[in-house]
């Protein structure tokens, strides 16, 4: 359906349109690769909206343009960052008071407020996959939780553990002194919680098959002063998650991503990711920056705020063909999005 319509759009545009310009740059970028991997990132912190869909659709446009120029096999990975912690309860879900109890818990371990799936992340991942499958997108779905816990990221995490001081300097450039001192590139998962602020930590990796993070946490108990506890957390198999600005290039390296789009709000993260890739001896992917979808007040649409158009509601107002052309037209121009 939509994937075929996107191919139709590709056939009707000129060879100087933006997907072909991107495809030609990618062809040169991947000259010595036998397979080209496209990536799309998605955070299941709320219900998928039109911005989530747009990244998959536009990446597919570039992929189809690339396939018209090259016989190299291609893959599209749609990656869900479902190991990220729940930081805010979305406005457009039921049982909000129950979700408040799970702030700080990885999304794949937060109960589904709709009561139909294993977790909140499973529910949101399922909505996205159902839509993509219904419209015949050619993609591979990957879960951050599954990738971490299966050990798929272990080799890259071990490589990162050897370069943490340099990585920390890249990420914290321009940070305030207190934040530089406290910043830990790894977020330990301890007793079901993602610890976002690890102020005192050391990484041990030399000569060890399984490096570990040695860190301190505060246990606050009523009527007592803070009790500092030392904790040892292996960095493999889902015991830690990388902070966002490290997690992104870690994924690029581990999955061999050659091309990925991102919104205007992630320019800084993309530049940092490129520096980390080069530090670790890997060529970063080509990134394409697109403008954001805005609500009727000119504010960025957000899954946690629920102020974006649910893509399944599009058909109440328009058609697949119009949606395809809407996504194709100048991605570097911001768009207003209808509120639900």
């Amino acid at each position: 359906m939509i994937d075929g319509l996107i191919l139709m759009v590709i056939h009707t545009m000129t060879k100087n349109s933006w997907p072909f310009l991107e495809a030609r740059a990618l062809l040169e970028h991947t000259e010595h690769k036998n397979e080209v991997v496209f990536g799309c990132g998605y955070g299941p912190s709320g219900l998928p909206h039109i911005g989530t869909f747009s990244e998959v659709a536009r990446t597919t446009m570039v992929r189809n343009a690339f396939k018209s120029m090259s016989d190299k096999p291609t893959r599209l990975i749609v990656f869900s960052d479902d190991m990220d912690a729940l930081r805010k309860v979305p406005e457009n879900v039921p049982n909000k008071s129950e979700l408040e109890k799970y702030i700080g818990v990885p999304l794949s371990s937060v109960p589904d407020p709709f009561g139909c799936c294993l977790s909140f992340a499973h529910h949101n991942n399922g909505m996205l996959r159902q839509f993509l499958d219904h419209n015949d997108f050619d993609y591979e779905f990957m879960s951050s939780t599954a990738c971490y816990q299966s050990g798929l990221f272990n080799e890259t995490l071990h490589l990162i553990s050897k370069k943490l001081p340099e990585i920390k300097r890249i990420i914290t450039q321009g940070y305030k002194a207190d934040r530089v001192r406290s910043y830990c590139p790894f977020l330990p998962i301890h007793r079901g919680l993602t610890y976002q602020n690890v102020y005192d930590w050391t990484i041990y990796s030399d000569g060890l098959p399984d490096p570990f993070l040695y860190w301190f946490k505060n246990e606050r108990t009523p009527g007592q002063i803070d009790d500092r506890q030392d904790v040892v957390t292996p960095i493999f198999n889902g015991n830690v998650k990388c902070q966002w600005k490290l997690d992104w290039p870690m994924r690029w390296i581990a999955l061999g991503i050659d091309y990925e789009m991102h919104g205007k709000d992630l320019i800084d993260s993309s530049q940092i990711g490129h520096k980390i890739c080069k530090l670790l001896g890997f060529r970063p992917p080509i990134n394409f920056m697109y403008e954001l979808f805005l609500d009727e007040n000119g504010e960025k649409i957000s899954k946690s705020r629920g102020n974006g158009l649910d893509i399944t509601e599009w058909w109440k107002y328009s058609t697949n063909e119009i949606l395809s052309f809407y996504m194709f037209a100048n991605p570097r121009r911001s768009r207003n999005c209808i509120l639900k």
Side-chain angles (χ1 to χ4, degrees):
M1 289 184 178
I2 293 254
D3 195 30
L5 292 168
I6 289 172
L7 188 58
M8 177 192 72
V9 172
I10 291 290
H11 287 159
T12 61
M13 47 188 191
T14 70
K15 298 297 182 180
N16 289 323
S17 58
W18 68 265
F20 278 97
L21 296 178
E22 290 296 295
R24 280 197 285 272
L26 182 60
L27 190 63
E28 182 178 349
H29 182 79
T30 57
E31 180 182 1
H32 301 294
K33 288 196 67 176
N34 296 324
E35 180 185 63
V36 178
V37 184
F38 295 79
C40 291
Y42 157 70
S45 57
L47 304 181
H49 53 54
I50 194 169
T52 308
F53 165 78
S54 71
E55 189 168 318
V56 183
R58 288 165 172 167
T59 302
T60 299
M61 292 177 186
V62 177
R63 183 187 183 192
N64 285 337
F66 182 89
K67 286 159 64 172
S68 74
M69 300 177 181
S70 172
D71 293 330
K72 288 185 180 182
T74 65
R75 299 164 59 204
L76 170 58
I77 295 174
V78 176
F79 186 89
S80 170
D81 188 14
D82 56 15
M83 200 169 170
D84 195 16
L86 178 68
R87 295 183 177 87
K88 181 181 178 181
V89 176
E91 294 294 326
N92 58 346
V93 299
N95 303 314
K96 290 190 288 185
S97 60
E98 283 297 309
L99 281 191
E100 290 285 354
K101 303 174 184 177
Y102 295 92
I103 298 295
V105 175
L107 292 162
S108 53
S109 298
V110 174
D112 178 17
F114 296 90
C116 59
C117 297
L118 293 175
S119 71
F120 190 35
H122 280 85
H123 181 275
N124 297 332
N125 289 342
M127 285 187 64
L128 178 63
R129 295 180 70 179
Q130 183 180 26
F131 178 80
L132 296 178
D133 292 343
H134 178 73
N135 291 287
D136 298 325
F137 275 99
D138 177 20
Y139 73 100
E140 302 170 36
F141 179 82
M142 287 192 176
S143 154
S144 175
T145 302
C147 289
Y148 271 103
Q149 292 181 351
S150 69
L152 180 63
F153 290 157
N154 284 357
E155 183 178 346
T156 310
L157 291 173
H158 193 271
L159 179 65
I160 286 170
S161 73
K162 304 287 188 180
K163 297 285 188 179
L164 276 188
E166 297 96 325
I167 289 172
K168 179 176 176 178
R169 281 196 291 271
I170 290 172
I171 294 175
T172 60
Q173 186 175 5
Y175 283 19
K176 293 182 179 179
D178 287 347
R179 183 58 179 143
V180 172
R181 284 194 298 270
S182 69
Y183 183 86
C184 179
F186 289 140
L187 301 175
I189 312 294
H190 184 65
R191 296 179 183 174
L193 288 173
T194 304
Y195 280 81
Q196 301 291 326
N197 296 299
V198 180
Y199 293 101
D200 298 303
W201 58 276
T202 307
I203 190 77
Y204 291 94
S205 61
D206 289 340
L208 297 173
D210 189 354
F212 62 86
L213 182 71
Y214 182 83
W215 58 289
F216 295 91
K217 67 184 290 291
N218 286 340
E219 284 287 359
R220 292 180 171 84
T221 54
Q224 297 181 7
I225 62 173
D226 291 352
D227 179 22
R228 283 169 54 86
Q229 297 184 350
D230 59 321
V231 184
V232 174
T233 302
I235 70 168
F236 288 165
N237 302 322
N239 290 291
V240 303
K241 180 188 187 299
C242 294
Q243 294 250 29
W244 159 246
K245 290 183 179 180
L246 175 58
D247 195 70
W248 202 12
M250 183 278 297
R251 170 166 63 86
W252 290 342
I253 293 170
L255 303 181
I257 302 296
D258 297 302
Y259 185 90
E260 184 163 346
M261 295 185 174
H262 64 79
K264 184 179 180 179
D265 54 334
L266 295 181
I267 291 175
D268 178 64
S269 296
S270 173
Q271 293 172 342
I272 287 173
H274 279 229
K275 292 177 183 178
I276 291 173
C277 285
K278 292 173 182 177
L279 172 70
L280 297 175
F282 290 83
R283 190 176 186 182
I286 290 179
N287 291 136
F288 178 87
M289 184 279 294
Y290 57 83
E291 267 287 358
L292 305 176
F293 285 87
L294 308 176
D295 67 14
E296 60 186 4
N297 298 315
E299 298 179 356
K300 173 189 171 184
I301 63 173
S302 166
K303 289 184 288 293
S304 63
R305 292 177 60 192
N307 61 336
L309 176 68
D310 183 336
I311 193 62
T312 59
E313 293 193 352
W314 177 273
W315 291 282
K316 295 179 183 178
Y317 312 107
S318 193
T319 65
N320 287 345
E321 289 84 354
I322 292 176
L323 178 59
S324 296
F325 281 99
Y326 179 68
M327 294 300 174
F328 165 69
N330 195 359
R332 288 189 167 140
R333 185 185 69 221
S334 61
R335 311 291 178 84
N336 284 94
C337 177
I338 305 169
L339 281 171
K340 296 170 69 173

Coordinates of all heavy atoms in Angstrom, one line a residue, residues 232-278:
V232 N 27.9 -3.2 42.2 CA 28.7 -3.7 41.1 C 27.7 -4.2 40.0 O 26.9 -5.0 40.3 CB 29.7 -4.8 41.4 CG1 30.3 -5.4 40.2 CG2 30.7 -4.3 42.4
T233 N 27.8 -3.6 38.8 CA 26.8 -3.9 37.7 C 27.6 -4.3 36.5 O 28.3 -3.5 35.9 CB 25.9 -2.7 37.4 OG1 25.2 -2.3 38.6 CG2 24.9 -3.1 36.3
P234 N 27.5 -5.6 36.0 CA 28.1 -5.9 34.7 C 27.5 -5.0 33.6 O 26.3 -4.7 33.7 CB 27.7 -7.4 34.5 CG 27.4 -7.9 35.9 CD 26.8 -6.7 36.6
I235 N 28.3 -4.7 32.6 CA 27.8 -3.9 31.6 C 27.2 -4.6 30.4 O 26.6 -4.0 29.5 CB 28.9 -2.9 31.0 CG1 29.9 -3.7 30.2 CG2 29.5 -2.1 32.1 CD1 30.8 -2.8 29.4
F236 N 27.2 -6.0 30.5 CA 26.7 -6.8 29.4 C 25.3 -7.2 29.6 O 24.8 -7.2 30.8 CB 27.6 -8.0 29.1 CG 28.9 -7.7 28.5 CD1 29.9 -8.6 28.5 CD2 29.2 -6.5 27.9 CE1 31.2 -8.4 27.9 CE2 30.4 -6.2 27.3 CZ 31.4 -7.2 27.3
N237 N 24.6 -7.7 28.6 CA 23.4 -8.4 28.6 C 22.2 -7.7 29.3 O 21.4 -8.3 30.1 CB 23.6 -9.8 29.3 CG 24.6 -10.6 28.6 OD1 24.7 -10.6 27.4 ND2 25.4 -11.3 29.4
G238 N 22.2 -6.4 29.1 CA 21.0 -5.6 29.6 C 21.1 -5.1 31.0 O 20.1 -4.6 31.6
N239 N 22.3 -5.2 31.6 CA 22.5 -4.7 33.0 C 22.7 -3.2 33.0 O 22.6 -2.5 34.1 CB 23.6 -5.4 33.7 CG 23.3 -6.8 34.0 OD1 22.5 -7.1 34.9 ND2 23.9 -7.7 33.3
V240 N 23.1 -2.6 31.9 CA 23.2 -1.2 31.7 C 22.6 -0.7 30.4 O 22.5 -1.6 29.5 CB 24.7 -0.7 31.8 CG1 25.4 -1.1 33.1 CG2 25.5 -1.1 30.6
K241 N 22.3 0.5 30.3 CA 21.9 1.1 29.1 C 22.8 2.4 28.9 O 23.0 3.1 29.8 CB 20.4 1.5 29.1 CG 19.9 2.2 27.8 CD 18.5 2.7 27.9 CE 18.0 3.2 26.6 NZ 18.8 4.3 26.0
C242 N 23.2 2.6 27.6 CA 24.0 3.8 27.4 C 23.1 5.1 27.5 O 21.9 5.0 27.1 CB 24.6 3.8 26.0 SG 25.8 2.5 25.8
Q243 N 23.6 6.2 28.0 CA 22.9 7.4 27.9 C 22.7 7.7 26.4 O 23.4 7.3 25.5 CB 23.8 8.5 28.5 CG 24.0 8.4 30.0 CD 23.2 9.4 30.8 OE1 22.2 9.9 30.4 NE2 23.7 9.8 32.0
W244 N 21.7 8.6 26.2 CA 21.2 8.8 24.8 C 22.3 9.2 23.8 O 22.4 8.6 22.7 CB 20.1 9.9 24.8 CG 19.9 10.5 23.4 CD1 20.2 11.8 23.1 CD2 19.5 9.8 22.2 NE1 19.9 12.0 21.7 CE2 19.5 10.8 21.2 CE3 19.1 8.5 21.9 CZ2 19.2 10.5 19.9 CZ3 18.8 8.2 20.6 CH2 18.8 9.2 19.6
K245 N 23.2 10.1 24.2 CA 24.1 10.6 23.2 C 25.2 9.6 22.9 O 26.0 9.8 22.0 CB 24.7 12.0 23.7 CG 23.7 13.1 23.6 CD 24.3 14.4 24.0 CE 23.3 15.5 23.9 NZ 23.8 16.9 24.3
L246 N 25.3 8.6 23.7 CA 26.2 7.4 23.4 C 25.4 6.3 22.8 O 25.9 5.5 22.0 CB 26.9 7.0 24.7 CG 27.8 5.7 24.6 CD1 28.9 5.9 23.6 CD2 28.4 5.4 26.0
D247 N 24.2 6.1 23.3 CA 23.4 5.0 22.8 C 23.2 5.1 21.3 O 23.2 4.0 20.6 CB 22.0 5.1 23.5 CG 21.2 3.8 23.4 OD1 21.6 2.8 24.0 OD2 20.2 3.8 22.7
W248 N 23.0 6.2 20.8 CA 22.7 6.4 19.3 C 23.9 5.9 18.5 O 23.8 5.0 17.6 CB 22.3 7.8 19.0 CG 21.6 8.0 17.7 CD1 21.0 7.1 17.0 CD2 21.3 9.3 17.1 NE1 20.4 7.6 15.9 CE2 20.5 9.0 15.9 CE3 21.6 10.6 17.4 CZ2 20.1 10.0 15.1 CZ3 21.1 11.6 16.6 CH2 20.4 11.3 15.4
P249 N 25.2 6.5 18.7 CA 26.3 6.0 17.9 C 26.6 4.5 18.2 O 27.1 3.8 17.3 CB 27.4 6.9 18.3 CG 27.0 7.5 19.6 CD 25.5 7.6 19.5
M250 N 26.4 4.1 19.5 CA 26.6 2.6 19.8 C 25.7 1.8 18.9 O 26.2 0.8 18.3 CB 26.2 2.4 21.2 CG 26.5 1.0 21.7 SD 25.2 -0.2 21.4 CE 23.8 0.5 22.3
R251 N 24.5 2.2 18.7 CA 23.6 1.4 17.8 C 24.0 1.5 16.3 O 24.0 0.5 15.6 CB 22.2 2.0 17.9 CG 21.2 1.4 16.9 CD 19.7 1.7 17.3 NE 19.4 3.1 17.3 CZ 19.1 3.9 16.3 NH1 19.0 3.4 15.1 NH2 18.7 5.1 16.5
W252 N 24.5 2.7 15.9 CA 25.0 2.8 14.5 C 26.1 1.8 14.3 O 26.2 1.1 13.2 CB 25.5 4.2 14.3 CG 24.5 5.3 14.2 CD1 23.2 5.1 14.0 CD2 24.8 6.7 14.3 NE1 22.6 6.4 14.0 CE2 23.5 7.3 14.2 CE3 25.9 7.4 14.6 CZ2 23.4 8.7 14.3 CZ3 25.8 8.8 14.6 CH2 24.6 9.5 14.5
I253 N 27.0 1.7 15.2 CA 28.2 0.8 15.1 C 27.7 -0.7 15.1 O 28.1 -1.5 14.3 CB 29.2 1.1 16.2 CG1 29.8 2.5 16.0 CG2 30.3 0.0 16.2 CD1 30.7 3.0 17.1
A254 N 27.0 -1.0 16.2 CA 26.6 -2.4 16.4 C 25.7 -3.0 15.2 O 25.9 -4.2 14.9 CB 25.8 -2.6 17.7
L255 N 24.9 -2.1 14.6 CA 24.0 -2.6 13.6 C 24.5 -2.3 12.2 O 23.8 -2.6 11.2 CB 22.6 -2.0 13.8 CG 21.9 -2.3 15.2 CD1 20.5 -1.7 15.2 CD2 21.8 -3.8 15.4
G256 N 25.6 -1.5 12.1 CA 26.1 -1.2 10.8 C 25.3 -0.2 10.0 O 25.2 -0.4 8.8
I257 N 24.7 0.8 10.7 CA 23.8 1.7 10.0 C 24.6 2.6 9.1 O 25.6 3.2 9.5 CB 23.0 2.6 11.0 CG1 22.2 1.7 12.0 CG2 22.1 3.6 10.3 CD1 21.2 0.9 11.3
D258 N 24.1 2.8 7.8 CA 24.7 3.6 6.8 C 24.0 4.9 6.6 O 24.6 5.9 6.1 CB 24.8 2.9 5.5 CG 25.7 1.6 5.6 OD1 26.9 1.8 5.9 OD2 25.2 0.6 5.3
Y259 N 22.7 4.9 6.9 CA 21.9 6.1 6.7 C 20.8 6.2 7.7 O 20.1 5.2 7.9 CB 21.3 6.0 5.2 CG 20.5 7.3 4.8 CD1 21.2 8.3 4.2 CD2 19.2 7.4 5.1 CE1 20.5 9.5 3.8 CE2 18.5 8.6 4.7 CZ 19.1 9.6 4.1 OH 18.4 10.7 3.7
E260 N 20.6 7.4 8.3 CA 19.5 7.6 9.2 C 19.1 9.0 9.3 O 19.9 9.9 9.3 CB 19.9 7.1 10.6 CG 18.7 7.2 11.6 CD 18.9 6.3 12.8 OE1 19.8 5.5 12.9 OE2 18.1 6.6 13.8
M261 N 17.8 9.3 9.3 CA 17.3 10.7 9.4 C 17.1 11.0 10.9 O 17.0 10.2 11.7 CB 15.9 10.8 8.7 CG 16.0 10.6 7.2 SD 14.4 10.9 6.4 CE 14.9 10.8 4.7
H262 N 17.0 12.3 11.1 CA 16.6 12.8 12.5 C 16.0 14.2 12.4 O 16.2 14.9 11.4 CB 17.9 12.8 13.4 CG 18.9 13.8 12.9 ND1 18.9 15.1 13.2 CD2 20.1 13.6 12.3 CE1 19.9 15.7 12.7 NE2 20.7 14.8 12.1
G263 N 15.3 14.5 13.4 CA 14.7 15.8 13.5 C 15.7 16.9 13.8 O 16.8 16.7 14.3
K264 N 15.2 18.1 13.6 CA 16.1 19.3 13.8 C 16.6 19.4 15.3 O 17.6 19.9 15.6 CB 15.3 20.6 13.5 CG 16.1 21.9 13.6 CD 15.2 23.0 13.2 CE 16.0 24.4 13.2 NZ 15.1 25.5 12.8
D265 N 15.8 18.9 16.2 CA 16.1 18.9 17.6 C 17.3 18.0 18.0 O 17.8 18.1 19.1 CB 14.9 18.6 18.5 CG 14.3 17.3 18.1 OD1 14.4 16.8 17.0 OD2 13.6 16.7 19.0
L266 N 17.7 17.2 17.1 CA 18.8 16.2 17.4 C 20.1 16.5 16.7 O 21.0 15.6 16.5 CB 18.4 14.8 17.1 CG 17.2 14.2 17.9 CD1 16.9 12.8 17.5 CD2 17.5 14.3 19.4
I267 N 20.3 17.7 16.2 CA 21.5 18.1 15.4 C 22.7 17.9 16.3 O 23.7 17.3 15.9 CB 21.4 19.5 14.9 CG1 20.4 19.6 13.8 CG2 22.8 20.0 14.4 CD1 20.1 21.1 13.3
D268 N 22.7 18.4 17.6 CA 23.8 18.3 18.5 C 24.1 16.8 18.8 O 25.3 16.4 18.8 CB 23.5 19.1 19.8 CG 24.6 18.9 20.8 OD1 25.7 19.4 20.5 OD2 24.4 18.4 21.9
S269 N 23.1 16.0 19.0 CA 23.3 14.6 19.3 C 24.0 13.9 18.1 O 24.8 13.0 18.3 CB 22.0 13.9 19.7 OG 21.5 14.5 20.8
S270 N 23.5 14.3 16.9 CA 24.1 13.7 15.7 C 25.6 14.0 15.6 O 26.4 13.1 15.2 CB 23.3 14.1 14.5 OG 23.9 13.7 13.3
Q271 N 25.9 15.2 15.8 CA 27.3 15.7 15.7 C 28.2 15.0 16.7 O 29.3 14.5 16.4 CB 27.4 17.2 15.8 CG 26.8 18.0 14.7 CD 26.7 19.4 15.0 OE1 26.8 19.9 16.1 NE2 26.5 20.2 13.9
I272 N 27.7 14.8 17.9 CA 28.4 14.1 19.0 C 28.6 12.6 18.6 O 29.6 12.0 18.7 CB 27.7 14.2 20.3 CG1 27.9 15.6 20.9 CG2 28.2 13.2 21.3 CD1 27.1 15.9 22.1
G273 N 27.5 12.0 18.0 CA 27.6 10.6 17.6 C 28.6 10.4 16.5 O 29.3 9.4 16.5
H274 N 28.8 11.3 15.6 CA 29.8 11.2 14.6 C 31.2 11.2 15.2 O 32.1 10.4 14.8 CB 29.6 12.3 13.6 CG 28.6 12.1 12.5 ND1 28.8 12.3 11.2 CD2 27.3 11.7 12.7 CE1 27.7 12.0 10.5 NE2 26.8 11.6 11.4
K275 N 31.4 12.1 16.2 CA 32.7 12.1 16.8 C 33.0 10.8 17.6 O 34.2 10.3 17.5 CB 32.8 13.3 17.8 CG 32.7 14.7 17.1 CD 32.7 15.8 18.2 CE 32.6 17.2 17.5 NZ 32.6 18.3 18.5
I276 N 32.0 10.3 18.2 CA 32.2 9.0 18.9 C 32.5 7.9 18.0 O 33.4 7.0 18.2 CB 31.0 8.7 19.8 CG1 30.9 9.7 20.9 CG2 31.1 7.3 20.4 CD1 29.6 9.6 21.8
C277 N 31.8 7.8 16.9 CA 32.1 6.8 15.9 C 33.5 6.8 15.4 O 34.2 5.8 15.3 CB 31.1 6.9 14.7 SG 29.4 6.4 14.9
K278 N 34.0 8.0 15.1 CA 35.3 8.2 14.6 C 36.4 7.9 15.6 O 37.4 7.3 15.3 CB 35.5 9.7 14.1 CG 34.7 10.0 12.8 CD 34.8 11.4 12.4 CE 33.9 11.8 11.2 NZ 34.0 13.2 10.9

